[in-house]
Amino acid sequence: MDQRAKRLQPFATTIFSEMTALANHYEAVNLAQGFPDFDGPIQGKQAAIGAIQSNHNQYTPLHGLSDLRRAIANWNTDLNNLTYDPDSEITVTNGCTEAITAALLGLVNPEDEVILFEPYYDSYRAACAFAGAHTKFVTIDPTDDGFTFTKEALERAFTPRTRAIIINTPHNPTGMVMTPEQLGWIADQCVQHDVIAIADEVYEQLTYDNTPHTSIATLPHMRERTLVLSSMGNTFSLTGWKVGWALGPAPLTGALRSAHQFITFCVPGPLQLGCATMLNDCRQDVEDLRTHLQSMRDKLGSALTELGFHIRAPKGSYFIMADHTEVSKRLGLNTDIELCRWLPEHAAVAAIPPSVFYNTPDLGHNFIRFSFAKTEPTIDRAIHRLRLALS
Ligand code: GLN
């Protein structure tokens, strides 16, 4: 008997856990769940270990340690040229995923509408359900110029009941990086309809081909209506640390904090101190990661193209969304789900079926998501196995 509350019944076990379990079962190369198979800067790890050893092991303030909030403020000023007050405008969270839930629970009333772009990161939809919100969708379409959305589709999603829009750039899973023009369309609608922007920018540092990242908070009239959410997990290749943050004007920050204090209260102190060290001292590691990931994107992308996948090169993030129509046809398979079940068993490589990230799953059935956030030997092994199984 399903004992789950009704609000959770529409949701299956998250696809990341499902595909990682399948990958482990078949000893497959896990290009499914987005995490690197290498660790971030040693200085960060040493700072966290040092903090444990020197007894920084009790609760921290609910909004985070001052050292970290100050490091985040400087980091964000350098990136986005915006200033946030560490005491009233910055909150440390358990990764960006918790920040999203805290933002929605803190700001959205039951029956309010929240706009999501589809494909979306799966937790957005569950967090909207926790808040009792109705969801509206703007589709990101595959085109000859990459993944994009239209101004018309965006404008159609806004209604007098819209409370918030969740923006994710660089985008998981498509790798789309929103342009200032696209962000301007969103900003115009937010101002016109008095809507809050919740901006998930966890891949802010991971853009390729010199594509600039723009935060919507930098657009006119947007700082006062935006919560910028980010984290150190992907930037510093320590995804299991789950240290994230939310930046926003005091009223939005206050709403988020009032939910955050009851969800989790605070974030592990030693990890906060490790994170502060990395934000302050490990900028070169981020440059090196970006260069590495761009070359892994290119390597995996060319191999996939050679094997018959159709690729739109991602401008950011960890992921390639590849059209698998031709490959699946050769194998006698149909959907992304069929291919993602087939691959670990027959090729010992795992990927994610993105149809689970769509309100209209059909829109995602021709795609499959591969993560290229791996060492070169791992990418080489995956390519070798895919060639053996698919050529
Ligand atoms: N953000 C990562 C991804 O998209 C992993 C998320 C998770 O495992 N919950 O793959």
Side-chain angles (χ1 to χ4, degrees):
M1 183 186 156
D2 189 346
Q3 294 282 9
R4 292 177 303 161
K6 286 199 187 78
R7 76 174 81 83
L8 279 166
Q9 287 177 3
F11 302 100
T13 299
T14 167
I15 197 69
F16 306 114
S17 303
E18 190 186 333
M19 286 300 148
T20 289
L22 206 59
N24 293 342
H25 179 76
Y26 289 108
E27 294 180 17
V29 180
N30 189 351
L31 304 188
Q33 193 175 23
F35 64 91
D37 59 343
F38 48 87
D39 268 7
I42 185 76
Q43 295 98 306
K45 297 207 272 185
Q46 276 166 346
I49 293 165
I52 290 175
Q53 286 171 333
S54 56
N55 304 333
H56 286 278
N57 297 305
Q58 307 305 331
Y59 297 128
T60 70
L62 77 90
H63 55 308
L65 288 171
S66 168
D67 283 0
L68 176 55
R69 283 181 285 107
R70 271 154 238 288
I72 292 166
N74 293 335
W75 175 265
N76 192 263
T77 303
D78 293 349
L79 178 70
N80 292 326
N81 201 22
L82 287 174
T83 349
Y84 287 93
D85 172 40
D87 295 325
S88 60
E89 299 187 314
I90 300 184
T91 310
V92 179
T93 60
N94 278 276
C96 184
T97 305
E98 193 248 325
I100 289 158
T101 302
L104 289 164
L105 289 177
L107 288 162
V108 173
N109 282 307
E111 311 303 326
D112 284 352
E113 290 177 3
V114 175
I115 300 173
L116 306 181
F117 288 84
E118 65 172 349
Y120 45 77
Y121 182 54
D122 64 352
S123 91
Y124 300 166
R125 199 158 183 187
C128 287
F130 293 168
H134 294 294
T135 37
K136 296 281 228 170
F137 299 92
V138 179
T139 303
I140 298 172
D141 305 300
T143 70
D144 291 346
D145 295 329
F147 286 92
T148 188
F149 60 95
T150 65
K151 194 170 174 220
E152 294 67 38
L154 177 81
E155 289 176 358
R156 270 200 306 275
F158 281 80
T159 78
R161 313 197 61 152
T162 309
R163 173 68 171 154
I165 179 166
I166 303 185
I167 299 152
N168 171 220
T169 181
H171 183 254
N172 175 8
T174 64
M176 172 185 74
V177 175
M178 288 191 194
T179 62
E181 188 192 8
Q182 290 172 321
L183 291 165
W185 301 340
I186 301 170
D188 286 348
Q189 292 299 307
C190 287
V191 171
Q192 193 180 317
H193 296 272
D194 193 19
V195 164
I196 296 162
I198 300 173
D200 170 350
E201 302 185 358
V202 296
Y203 297 102
E204 63 190 18
Q205 299 290 339
L206 303 181
T207 62
Y208 312 117
D209 312 318
N210 299 315
T211 307
H213 161 72
T214 307
S215 174
I216 193 159
T218 61
L219 272 66
H221 312 296
M222 287 309 288
R223 187 193 182 285
E224 66 257 35
R225 57 175 65 257
T226 301
L227 275 174
V228 175
L229 313 181
S230 193
S231 90
M232 46 61 69
N234 301 317
T235 303
F236 292 109
S237 308
L238 293 165
T239 58
W241 277 30
K242 303 294 291 174
V243 180
W245 52 84
L247 313 173
L252 298 185
T253 289
L256 175 135
R257 283 181 186 174
S258 54
H260 164 77
Q261 65 181 343
F262 294 128
I263 298 174
T264 185
F265 187 65
C266 69
V267 173
L271 299 182
Q272 292 190 54
L273 292 171
C275 178
T277 298
M278 292 187 292
L279 291 176
N280 290 331
D281 300 336
C282 299
R283 306 227 174 169
Q284 186 55 44
D285 293 79
V286 181
E287 300 293 321
D288 296 346
L289 176 67
R290 189 183 303 122
T291 309
H292 172 71
L293 290 183
Q294 181 168 318
S295 84
M296 293 308 100
R297 173 199 69 167
D298 293 343
K299 188 165 206 177
L300 182 63
S302 343
L304 292 173
T305 307
E306 203 187 284
L307 289 167
F309 291 91
H310 179 58
I311 303 295
R312 293 167 177 85
K315 296 195 170 67
S317 86
Y318 273 180
F319 308 111
I320 295 177
M321 273 260 283
D323 187 320
H324 63 85
T325 313
E326 198 186 308
V327 174
S328 284
K329 210 162 153 195
R330 287 202 310 260
L331 298 170
L333 303 171
N334 290 302
T335 63
D336 57 336
I337 300 190
E338 288 178 24
L339 182 59
C340 286
R341 296 229 162 96
W342 187 92
L343 277 175
E345 188 178 348
H346 297 94
V349 172
I352 291 280
S355 58
V356 301
F357 303 142
Y358 285 83
N359 183 46
T360 311
D362 263 358
L363 297 174
H365 277 146
N366 292 339
F367 294 101
I368 176 167
R369 191 196 81 170
F370 294 97
S371 169
F372 52 84
K374 299 292 166 194
T375 60
E376 187 156 18
T378 302
I379 293 291
D380 285 339
R381 197 171 330 119
I383 292 173
H384 177 69
R385 291 178 178 188
L386 289 170
R387 282 196 181 123
L388 286 179
L390 300 176
S391 345

